[in-house]
Amino acid sequence: MRSKVKLSLLNTSAVGGGLPDPDLCENEAVGSLSPITEHKDGITVTYNAASIARWAWFGYATWERATFEVLERFVPDRVVLDVGAWVGQTVLWEAHLAKSVVALEPSRSSFRALCWNLAANPEDLQS
């Protein structure tokens, strides 16, 4: 059984002094949610097809194989700091294994897509 995690988000380009604002995603319009489900190493991840990096999800099952082998070794039951979270490919996967995940993304457009993809995975969020 997977545990719920709290994903703390920080858009460093929007927050003065780099201080986290847990309400940042609530300010991002999710628009129409078009969920698409992908599977990677026994973990199911849903993403919003409207996100800017939809192309990055095609081939997700085999994408960055070496990276996910490292994550499989070090992520379980730990607090993970995902710096450069982009649109959430690793964040959403880590959420299934980690004790908690802190995701940092400085790009406004990538941060918006990350919020959309988090909204497509409400079971992974804990308030």
Side-chain angles (χ1 to χ4, degrees), residues 45-68:
V45 172
T46 302
Y47 70 96
N48 185 345
S51 73
I52 61 164
R54 180 177 176 192
W55 63 267
W57 293 93
F58 295 115
Y60 182 64
T62 58
W63 178 73
E64 294 280 337
R65 184 67 243 141
T67 299
F68 284 87

Side-chain angles (χ1 to χ4, degrees), residues 30-51:
V30 173
S32 62
L33 184 62
S34 304
I36 295 177
T37 301
E38 296 286 344
H39 307 282
K40 185 175 192 70
D41 299 331
I43 293 176
T44 302
V45 172
T46 302
Y47 70 96
N48 185 345
S51 73

Side-chain angles (χ1 to χ4, degrees), residues 39-108:
H39 307 282
K40 185 175 192 70
D41 299 331
I43 293 176
T44 302
V45 172
T46 302
Y47 70 96
N48 185 345
S51 73
I52 61 164
R54 180 177 176 192
W55 63 267
W57 293 93
F58 295 115
Y60 182 64
T62 58
W63 178 73
E64 294 280 337
R65 184 67 243 141
T67 299
F68 284 87
E69 287 173 2
V70 170
L71 296 176
E72 285 174 334
R73 180 174 177 199
F74 292 106
V75 166
D77 301 318
R78 298 200 174 145
V79 175
V80 174
L81 175 60
D82 194 318
V83 178
W86 194 31
V87 298
Q89 284 97 331
T90 55
V91 171
L92 294 170
W93 191 86
E94 292 160 345
H96 290 263
L97 300 176
K99 184 176 184 180
S100 65
V101 178
V102 177
L104 306 178
E105 177 50 55
S107 163
R108 187 72 178 163

Side-chain angles (χ1 to χ4, degrees), residues 10-16 18 24 105-109 111:
L10 172 61
N11 178 350
T12 56
S13 67
V15 180
L24 279 174
E105 177 50 55
S107 163
R108 187 72 178 163
S109 58
F111 183 82

